[in-house]
Amino acid sequence: MSSRCDLSFLIPSSSFTTHPPPISSPPPTPSSLLKTSRRVISLGETPVLYKRKPVPLVSRPSHIQEDQEIWTFEQTGEVFTTYQSYLQRGDFYRQKRFSCEITGHSGLTFFEAFQSESDASGEVEDAFPHALKGPILRKVQFSTISRLDHLVDHVYEDFKHDYYPGESIVVTFGDSSRSPGILREKTKFPELLRADGSIERSAFARYRVCLNNSSDKEIVVEANDLVRERKTFTKQRLRSFLKKSIDHESWIGAPWCVKPEIAQVYQISGSLPPHLTYEHQMAQRKAHSMLKKNDFDGQLLNFSPGLPQLKPKGQKHKRESQDAARLGEEYQRALAANPDFGKIPQQQVEQLLTGPNGINGVSNIVVKSQPKQPPPPPALKYPIEDLELPPVPNKAPRPALKFLSIDPPTPHILPEKSARGILMRSVGPLLETWDTLNVYCEVFQLDSFTFDDYVEALQLTHDIHHCTLISEIHCAVLKKLVNDVNDKNGQVQFSLPESKSSRSEDSSVADTTSLPSPTPEPETKPSARTTRSSLAKSEAADLKAVQTAGSSTIESKVHRAADMEHATRAYDWKMRLRKRDFGQGAWVYIIVGLLYQLSNDPRRKGTCDEILSKLAPPSQEATIQTAISQYPLIDINTRVKILEILCMLSLETKAVRIYMEECNNNMTEFRKEKIDMQRKRRAAMEDLQSLHEERKILQPKSRTTSPLPELEGLNDSKMTNGTEDEIEIDDEDVVVDTEEEEKPHQGRSLRRANDRATQRRKRAEEERLRKERLQAEKAKKPSKQEKQYEKIVKKIEEAKDQIKEYEEEVSVLENDLRESDCPRTRVLGKDRFWNRYYWFERNAMPYAGLPDSSTAFAGYANGCLWVQGPDDMERQGFIELCEAENRQYYNAFKMRVPERKMIEEGQTHVFNARQWGYLDEPDELDKLIGWLDTHGVREVKLRKELQAQRDKITKYMVQRKGFLAMSAEKKPEDEEATSRMSTRTKTYTGPAITRRCFAWTNLTAEREIGHMHGEPKPPANNRKQGKAAKKAVEEDVRQTRATSRQGKPLTRQGSRYTF
């Protein structure tokens, strides 16, 4: 890369300790070195770019002695007389911040970019047609097209159908045959015009071509009969050739110039025309700006021709001169009528009018200054803030919301039947806990369940211990909070505050160790003058204080969780949870112990005490059976609070964190695979387009009138199979019609039945003839061209099938990404009043729940579009404005924002983030999309998301409605069957079979651990059978499960779903 030389002797090898060893050939002298590098240094810069500008070279030292030591770079020919400057320049060249001018590759060192430029320059020199180089360079010399891309397009269009002697071309004949040849001569014929100016003959050219297959045969053809070989003259090669050959200065409007050494080869003049020089362009711009000024405050309008002419004189300039003369004449007439007209004396005006630069005796006039008009307001650029859009009168309001609560925000709205006992403050936690349990169902080892089953199960008051869904949810979450007794000794997986007993023991131990001997407290002595009455009064006061303290402790005791914990201290809730002792509803006692210890946290104390007052009331005994019997009596709002606390604690556990990390890693892999598939699809589309062009060239004339159906929709970017499906459907319709017409018609005759039968017979006949014609064409021996054509058609079909596979794979990967995005719940968007819209199936779960769930037959997960009210900050900043802002808004729109909200939202509203409503009808979804305004910055995004997800949302809304209607129809039959059940020999104690939630069972736990969470572990023999069954199930799943190239499941749940 570099060499170090001296004039009289070779430098010893020891001087190269920090540099590459010297070359074996003798070092050149400074004079010969400067002579060889004179060409590069004379140019002053290299083709390598640094920050998109050519790298300037260091100038040569002026005086070098014969015995002086020098350092040089062979690539640039730069010479340095000091070692420090040489090292600094080398450090600059070794930075990876250079780019090649021809290829555009960046992130290279100077020498890598220099080598890339050299290689690319040779490739461009060899690949580009030599015959076109001279004409193209003459075309672009002194061109003022600023952008290189535009220049390439302009040159390509001019030379695409123009050919020059010496080119290798292909001649096409009338019989579709082709023959290569060399172009010898070119004759141009100019355009001929008639006397009236119309075109008699357009310009054209004729070419004499020598065919390659016969050296002595020459033919004369026109441009329409000539084509170039593929990839001979392309925009990419033209761009590389121009980047290598031309350059321009950095000022705006600088012309493109061919590099001097290249211009000398092709004998192109390099002298710049005067009107393209920098000085002339600056003067022209200055004159242009003066002419464009519109403020004539008492100044003289100059109509003299002394200014430089920016354009050749034409009709426009002639009209401007005539207008100037007319203005001068009008000024003279005004001056004759009123001598005081104008701002300057009469003598000066006459002098100016008779000046040497006058036009028709008029040179300059004076115009009175006019007041400047205020500029027009800028045009609005949509989208803008939604509430700044004016209200649309007589527009339909937003569709009415439904509320899953007995206290809806709008009092006159009746609650839904399914909202029994639910308060509005519990709807948000209800949705949050359902979403958490379904998103992390793999961590909890739970089957997915519908939101309606979840609500129904939490509303149960009878037979609640027979509801598998309730017990499995609590047991599954509790098992993740504390490890098994055999797993790290039952370590607690979340931050648990210390209990009061442990704190009291620690404090007592600390007191005994810090105080060596107790000090007796001094007795309270009465005052100096004490009587019997005063002593009696003090004793009565002390007794009253003791009674008050006792009553306060009784009043402050709102639950008996502490007594319950003290009664079971030998086998407390932690030990019971470590041993997974959930039988007979014991999980309720575990929750009591957990909540009691969490109540030591001041942030959770109020909520925990409220729950414990219902599970361990002070009026009952502090036993486990009390807690188990109290759980069916608490309402759904309290149960939701318990699940909310458990779900929040589970998010702190290591199992959930590991699962999140795995999902993030899977998302990274899915994104890479998606990009790879999109790249392959793009390449396949390009290949398909090229095959389509070849098919057009090889297509026989007999087939031009009837395009092949397999090539229809070729330009469709999605390459769907709609065309082929339509063709198959049409064929089936034809067959059905022919079969139907053979059957005798029974019943009332239809109008135009005879015409329809005739049309059916005609279509059937045409179809039969078409098939016979296709069979005849297949039987006929095809020609060579037809064989090539059929081969191309077959390749097109294969390419289309490959593109469809890539598109299906991209769709699967997009669904995998959606199902792996578990850390956050994404909102669809916000409307003009900052209401948030959620579709929970979109977030990290299959649209219809797990396909192998026990309730997968329901066909949906939530089936509703949920609407949440605005946050407090959004409500106070955008809806509830201050008085001044309210007045300003009222002046603009004749209403305030809250009034507008009440009008445009219709009869139902949500006012804060703790209020929720929902839509569950497809018609309501369409009305909502129509209600949104695309000119608003928030609603345009929300509308886009709703339109993208509309089909899926509508599908599962319809599925939910159908499933609930079917369940409602079966309910009377089930009740009747229950009433007829015989209880003569035994009492029926099972749950009511009319509840949907009783159909759920935890198949996931049975497959993975051999039993449900609330059940004890099976005995050893049963455990072995369970393991064998589990292994068989896993093997079956593994065989049917689709995996990626790394062998991992392609979806979060391990199988693909229809979406």
Side-chain angles (χ1 to χ4, degrees), residues 670 673 809 812-813 816 1042-1044 1048-1052 1054 1056:
F670 293 149
E673 293 182 12
E809 192 68 24
V812 171
L813 291 171
D816 296 345
T1043 57
S1044 63
K1048 298 181 179 179
L1050 285 176
T1051 59
R1052 186 176 64 83
R1056 299 186 179 181

Side-chain angles (χ1 to χ4, degrees), residues 490-719:
Q491 184 180 359
V492 179
Q493 295 295 311
F494 64 97
S495 57
L496 188 66
E498 295 182 0
S499 61
K500 295 180 181 178
S501 58
S502 61
R503 285 208 304 267
S504 61
E505 290 175 1
D506 294 342
S507 61
S508 62
V509 171
D511 293 341
T512 55
T513 55
S514 60
L515 297 177
S517 60
T519 303
E521 296 183 358
E523 296 181 357
T524 304
K525 296 181 179 181
S527 58
R529 304 182 64 172
T530 306
T531 61
R532 293 179 181 177
S533 60
S534 63
L535 286 174
K537 289 180 180 179
S538 63
E539 290 177 1
D542 294 340
L543 181 60
K544 185 177 181 181
V546 171
Q547 292 177 354
T548 304
S551 62
S552 64
T553 55
I554 294 174
E555 292 176 358
S556 62
K557 190 173 183 179
V558 296
H559 56 78
R560 301 194 64 181
D563 299 337
M564 196 177 295
E565 182 185 12
H566 181 73
T568 58
R569 59 184 179 275
Y571 189 47
D572 61 351
W573 68 271
K574 291 182 186 177
M575 184 58 65
R576 191 180 292 270
L577 181 54
R578 290 187 182 107
K579 292 187 176 182
R580 306 302 190 235
D581 186 3
F582 300 127
Q584 303 298 324
W587 53 269
V588 181
Y589 163 70
I590 296 175
I591 291 176
V592 172
L594 172 63
L595 294 178
Y596 178 66
Q597 190 160 351
L598 289 176
S599 64
N600 297 322
D601 186 356
R603 297 175 300 173
R604 297 193 178 103
K605 181 174 177 56
T607 305
C608 293
D609 288 345
E610 180 185 356
I611 299 172
L612 291 174
S613 65
K614 299 180 180 180
L615 291 177
S619 60
Q620 298 190 17
E621 296 181 0
T623 61
I624 298 178
Q625 294 300 325
T626 300
I628 297 174
S629 62
Q630 285 296 119
Y631 186 84
L633 303 179
I634 62 177
D635 58 351
I636 183 175
N637 304 289
T638 306
R639 295 172 184 173
V640 170
K641 288 181 182 179
I642 295 174
L643 285 172
E644 184 181 13
I645 294 174
L646 295 180
C647 290
M648 293 297 293
L649 294 176
S650 67
L651 296 180
E652 301 178 14
T653 60
K654 186 177 180 181
V656 174
R657 291 198 302 268
I658 292 175
Y659 181 77
M660 288 184 181
E661 293 176 0
E662 291 178 355
C663 288
N664 289 332
N665 296 334
N666 291 339
M667 290 178 69
T668 303
E669 295 295 329
F670 293 149
R671 288 192 187 100
K672 292 180 181 178
E673 293 182 12
K674 180 182 175 183
I675 293 172
D676 187 26
M677 289 299 167
Q678 288 176 336
R679 188 182 296 114
K680 291 180 179 179
R681 177 186 173 276
R682 196 178 302 114
M685 289 288 292
E686 294 175 357
D687 295 340
L688 182 60
Q689 190 65 27
S690 61
L691 289 172
H692 181 54
E693 296 297 332
E694 293 182 11
R695 185 195 67 85
K696 288 182 179 180
I697 297 174
L698 297 173
Q699 186 174 6
K701 293 183 179 180
S702 59
R703 302 195 182 189
T704 54
T705 56
S706 57
L708 292 176
E710 63 267 12
L711 295 177
E712 293 181 7
L714 180 66
N715 296 325
D716 186 8
S717 60
K718 291 300 247 181
M719 290 296 170

Side-chain angles (χ1 to χ4, degrees), residues 828-887:
L828 288 174
K830 305 175 186 177
D831 63 9
R832 68 195 71 166
F833 301 112
W834 294 90
N835 299 317
R836 290 175 170 84
Y837 291 77
Y838 290 90
W839 185 44
F840 288 98
E841 289 93 324
R842 181 194 182 197
N843 298 281
M845 67 175 73
Y847 291 119
L850 292 177
D852 53 355
S853 172
S854 59
T855 56
F857 57 86
Y860 75 100
N862 192 299
C864 299
L865 180 67
W866 290 89
V867 184
Q868 183 188 20
D871 189 70
D872 292 339
M873 295 181 62
E874 297 166 347
R875 178 170 48 83
Q876 296 173 4
F878 293 92
I879 299 175
E880 298 176 359
L881 307 177
C882 62
E883 187 61 30
E885 293 175 344
N886 271 329
R887 193 181 306 111

Side-chain angles (χ1 to χ4, degrees), residues 988-1017:
Y988 178 71
T989 59
I993 61 177
T994 59
R995 300 287 185 179
R996 292 189 310 272
C997 59
F998 288 136
W1000 184 90
T1001 183
N1002 195 359
L1003 298 179
T1004 301
E1006 291 179 351
R1007 286 194 302 266
E1008 296 184 3
I1009 61 177
H1011 61 91
M1012 288 193 287
H1013 297 294
E1015 298 175 351
K1017 291 183 179 180

